[in-house]
Amino acid sequence: MTCRNLILILGDQLSANLASLKAGDPARDRILMAEVWDEATYVKHHKKKIAFIFSAMRHFAEELKAGGWPVDYVHLDEAANSQSLTGELSRAVARHHPERVIITEPGEWRVRQMLEAWADAPLDILEDDRFLCTHAEFSDWAAGRKQLRMEYFYREMRRKTGLLMDGDQPAGGKWNFDADNRKPASADLFMPRPAQVQPDQITEAVLALVGDRFADHFGDLEPFWFAVTARQAEAALDSFIADALASFGDFQDAMVRGEPFVYHSVLSAYINAGLLDPLAVCRRVEAEYRAGRVAINAAEGFIRQIIGWREYVRGIYWHTMPGYELKNALGATRALPRFYWTGDTDMTCLAEAIGQTRREAYAHHIQRLMVTGNFAMLAGIDPHQVHEWYLAVYADAYEWVELPNTVGMSQFADGGLLASKPYAAGGNYTNKMSDYCRSCRYDVKQRTGPDACPFNALYWDFLARNRETLKGNPRLGPVYRTWDRMDEAKRRETRESAAAFLAGLG
Ligand code: FAD
Ligand code: DLZ
Ligand code: SF4
C-alpha cells in the first residue's frame, strides 16, 4: 500500500501537537513507530525507563489510530524487526513507497546524524516547536557573548513567553527568588508522593517483555507506577500542583532520608517524552501564583527550571555538539566506582541517592548535582563514564538534556562554559541541606582519618589537584586563600587522607 509521506515518530515525541503530525494528513500519510534494540541498548538504560518509553509509545500509537491515523507499529520482539531506527525506516519505505519521509527533529545529535546519513528516501526534518527557543535564536543570543549564563537567557525567555511578567517588569519585582529557596527539610514534614498509575494490560505486556529481554540492565522494573499517557501525566501535574508546588521553592535543595521526591514535581520524564507540554505546565503554575495560591518563590523557582534551565541546556547542547560529549577540562581519568551500580557504600548520601535511583529511575536535582555529581568530580572520575551513567539510569535522560547537566554543570568538564565555578562541596553542604549525615558511619565534622567524611578531604584535594586550571577563577579566590593559610602539615594530612580514600576506591 502506498502513502504520500511516511512520518517517523520517536520514543520521546509522543505529543499530539508534534510538528510532523501538524504537517501531516491522516488521509494520505502514514505513521511509523518502532521499538528497537539499538535505542534501548546504546547505553544500557534502566529497566523502568525502557518500560516507560515502550508503554507510552504503545499507548500513543493507539491514540493515533483512534484519531484516524494509519500507524505501522513495530514491536521489539517481531521477527522481522531490524532493531535499528534506520533499518525500520528502510523496511517501511519498501512497504509503502512514500514520496517523502518526515520527522520532527530528534532530540539527540547521534540520532539526527544517523537519519541524515540514511538515504533510501528524501527526508524532511521539521523544527521541534515543543521547545520555546529555536537553534537560531539560541545562536543569536550566544553570538559574541564571552559567557553564556543561564540567568540572562532565562530573562529573555520570560520576556518571550510573558510568563510571570507585569508589563516589562518581572512579577514580584525580581527575576530570581533563589535566595529564598534553600531551606533544609526535616523528616517530620508531610511530603506528598507523586501520583501513581496502576499498570494496564498494555503496560503489563511491556513489563513482561522488559523483564525478559533486559534482565541484565540496571534498576528495579517493579513496582511500576509511571503515567504512560498524556491524560495520566496531566493527572500527575494536577496532584503536584495541589500537593507539592506551594513547598517546591522553599525546599528545592533539601534532601531527606527515605524521601526520594521531597516536593519535586517528578514530571521530567513526562515532559521530555512529550506527554506534557512544557509551556502549558508553566502556564498552570503561573495561574496558581496569580490566584494567590502559591508564593512567588515557588512559582518563579519552578518556571525557571523549565523555561530557563531546560531550554538553556538544550541550547548549549546543539551549540556545542559534536565534541561536547568528550570534554574533560580537568583531565579526570578514574573509572566510575562499582557502587554507582550497586549503591553498596557506607556513605549514606551516596547510598540514598543511588538506592532510590535503582528503585525509581529518579533522583532530584540536588542529589544528582551535589551528591553523585559532586562525588564524581571530587574523586576525578572520567566525565564520559559519568555521562554514560546518568544517561542510562534516569527515566528522564536523553542526551540533549543530560549531557550539559553532567559534563557542564556537575563535572565542570567544559572548563566553565555552562557554570561559573565548579559545584564542588565538602560534607558540610550535605549536612546543612539533609539529614543524611546523622545516620552515616562517617563523621561530617572530621576532615582526615578513617572516620572522616570522605567529601571533606576530597574537596580540598580536588582544589589542590586542579589548581593550575582553576586558580584564575575569581569565584575560587577566597577558597584558595583559605587553603594557603592552612599550615603545611594540615594540608599534607588532608591530601594524604584523600589519597588513601581514593586508593581504596579500586
Ligand atoms: P523539578 O525539580 O520538579 O523541576 C521541574 C522541571 O524543571 C523538571 O521536570 C525539568 O523538566 C525541569 N528542570 C529542572 N532542572 C533542570 C535542569 N537542570 N535541566 C533541564 N531541565 C530541568 N534533567 C532531565 O530532564 N534529564 C536528564 O537526563 C537530566 N540529567 C541531569 C544530570 C545531572 C548531573 C544533573 C545535575 C541534572 C540533570 N537533570 C536532568 C536536571 C534535573 O536534575 C532534573 O530535570 C530533575 O531532577 C527532574 O525531576 P523533577 O521533574 O522532579 O524536577
Ligand atoms: C530512549 C529510547 C528507547 C529506550 N527506545 C526507543 C525506541 O525503541 N524507539 C524510539 O523511537 N526511541 C527510543 N528511545 C528514544 C531514542 O533513543 C532517542 O533518545 C530520542 O528519540 C532522542 O533522539
Ligand atoms: Fe555523605 Fe559525608 Fe554526610 Fe556521610 S558524612 S552522608 S559521606 S556528606
Side-chain angles (χ1 to χ4, degrees):
M1 201 200 298
T2 59
C3 64
R4 181 188 62 167
N5 296 318
L6 181 70
I7 300 174
L8 173 66
I9 296 185
L10 299 170
D12 58 349
Q13 298 185 333
L14 311 179
S15 312
N17 66 345
L18 195 70
S20 49
L21 287 173
K22 285 186 286 193
D25 174 356
R28 295 192 293 168
D29 303 330
R30 177 169 279 272
I31 286 168
L32 171 66
M33 297 177 71
E35 296 168 8
V36 294
W37 185 256
D38 283 5
E39 292 304 310
T41 57
Y42 73 96
V43 292
K44 289 177 88 170
H45 299 289
H46 194 301
K47 294 187 198 78
K48 268 203 170 87
K49 177 182 185 182
I50 300 176
F52 164 64
I53 292 175
F54 285 4
S55 177
M57 285 174 71
R58 289 184 187 189
H59 282 90
F60 190 66
E62 291 307 312
E63 287 166 15
L64 290 172
K65 284 183 205 161
W69 283 97
V71 180
D72 279 19
Y73 190 94
V74 184
H75 292 81
L76 187 85
D77 49 8
E78 277 174 37
N81 187 338
S82 64
Q83 305 297 356
S84 76
L85 289 172
T86 47
E88 285 317 288
L89 262 183
S90 297
R91 286 205 314 127
V93 164
R95 283 194 302 274
H96 302 296
H97 309 288
E99 289 164 23
R100 309 192 71 76
V101 169
I102 298 190
I103 175 151
T104 306
E105 184 187 46
E108 298 189 344
W109 189 85
R110 170 188 67 85
V111 181
R112 184 174 176 135
Q113 287 299 106
M114 192 164 75
L115 292 173
E116 280 177 344
W118 174 84
D120 286 12
L123 178 73
D124 295 336
I125 300 183
L126 308 183
E127 197 161 273
D128 190 347
D129 58 13
R130 297 173 302 168
F131 290 94
L132 299 173
C133 182
T134 65
H135 298 326
E137 279 171 325
F138 192 87
S139 297
D140 285 351
W141 175 78
R145 281 173 198 261
K146 266 211 218 105
Q147 295 188 317
L148 304 180
R149 294 290 168 251
M150 194 288 294
E151 186 59 32
Y152 299 107
F153 171 83
Y154 165 55
R155 293 179 191 179
E156 294 295 315
M157 292 299 109
R158 289 272 293 276
R159 291 192 185 95
K160 179 172 177 172
T161 57
L163 281 163
L164 294 179
M165 295 299 292
D166 294 333
D168 61 357
Q169 293 302 310
K174 279 197 299 186
W175 291 102
N176 183 319
F177 288 81
D178 222 11
D180 302 344
N181 291 359
R182 306 219 169 99
K183 294 195 182 59
S186 60
D188 54 359
L189 286 169
F190 170 72
M191 278 165 236
R193 291 284 162 134
Q196 306 208 342
V197 176
Q198 189 70 23
D200 63 6
Q201 268 186 348
I202 294 180
T203 301
E204 290 291 1
V206 167
L207 293 175
L209 173 79
V210 174
D212 181 37
R213 301 294 303 280
F214 302 98
D216 64 334
H217 283 219
F218 173 80
D220 297 350
L221 179 58
E222 294 185 77
F224 183 92
W225 50 262
F226 289 162
V228 288
T229 66
R231 184 174 297 191
Q232 292 166 358
E234 285 291 342
L237 170 63
D238 290 343
S239 60
F240 165 66
I241 286 178
D243 302 337
L245 175 62
S247 299
F248 173 86
D250 286 354
F251 300 110
Q252 203 180 332
D253 290 2
M255 297 175 281
V256 182
R257 200 158 181 211
E259 290 290 348
F261 312 109
V262 195
Y263 298 98
H264 290 270
S265 68
V266 198
L267 295 175
S268 49
Y270 308 149
I271 298 174
N272 294 347
L275 300 183
L276 286 176
D277 179 65
L279 185 56
V281 169
C282 292
R283 297 230 184 274
R284 285 282 311 275
V285 168
E286 176 176 30
E288 292 300 297
Y289 164 70
R290 298 285 182 198
R293 286 190 287 268
V294 303
I296 185 70
N297 70 311
E300 187 282 319
F302 185 85
I303 287 172
R304 174 162 25 91
Q305 306 312 313
I306 295 191
I307 68 168
W309 281 111
R310 186 172 184 274
E311 292 287 331
Y312 167 79
V313 297
R314 177 180 183 253
I316 293 276
Y317 177 77
W318 285 99
H319 192 64
T320 54
M321 285 299 282
Y324 201 72
E325 78 285 15
L326 300 173
K327 295 279 181 211
N328 191 356
L330 302 177
T333 54
R334 190 176 300 278
L336 190 75
R338 232 178 77 74
F339 67 71
Y340 271 73
W341 299 108
T342 62
D344 189 10
T345 163
D346 287 343
M347 291 177 275
T348 297
C349 53
L350 282 155
E352 279 285 309
I354 295 165
Q356 72 171 67
T357 299
R358 281 174 63 121
R359 285 188 299 279
E360 312 285 2
Y362 176 85
H364 68 69
H365 186 67
I366 291 302
Q367 294 176 304
R368 297 188 205 194
L369 184 64
M370 300 310 294
V371 178
T372 42
N374 180 31
F375 182 86
M377 180 174 67
L378 298 186
I381 311 295
D382 171 4
H384 196 75
Q385 292 188 31
V386 182
H387 147 61
E388 291 196 329
W389 183 80
Y390 280 101
L391 187 56
V393 302
Y394 290 113
D396 59 19
Y398 302 89
E399 198 181 75
W400 65 266
V401 53
E402 174 279 327
L403 188 68
N405 269 302
T406 303
V407 161
M409 194 188 309
S410 91
Q411 301 303 294
F412 206 69
D414 66 0
L417 178 75
L418 193 147
S420 57
K421 77 175 178 69
Y423 281 94
N428 195 33
Y429 176 88
T430 298
N431 196 29
K432 202 167 72 193
M433 295 315 302
S434 80
D435 62 359
Y436 292 159
C437 303
R438 270 181 252 159
S439 54
C440 186
R441 96 133 187 85
Y442 293 107
D443 181 354
V444 72
K445 300 286 178 207
Q446 289 186 45
R447 184 189 295 174
T448 56
D451 294 329
C453 165
F455 282 80
N456 292 337
L458 285 178
Y459 171 73
W460 290 111
D461 187 59
F462 165 79
L463 289 167
R465 198 170 69 231
N466 292 296
R467 188 164 194 149
E468 269 317 294
T469 319
L470 298 178
K471 69 181 179 199
N473 187 310
R475 297 192 61 195
L476 293 177
V479 200
Y480 278 115
R481 281 195 287 282
T482 305
W483 173 247
D484 291 340
R485 276 198 301 270
M486 276 178 220
D487 69 62
E488 174 62 29
K490 202 168 169 189
R491 277 185 284 169
R492 193 170 346 103
E493 200 189 334
T494 301
R495 296 211 63 185
E496 282 168 4
S497 197
F501 177 82
L502 290 173
L505 265 187

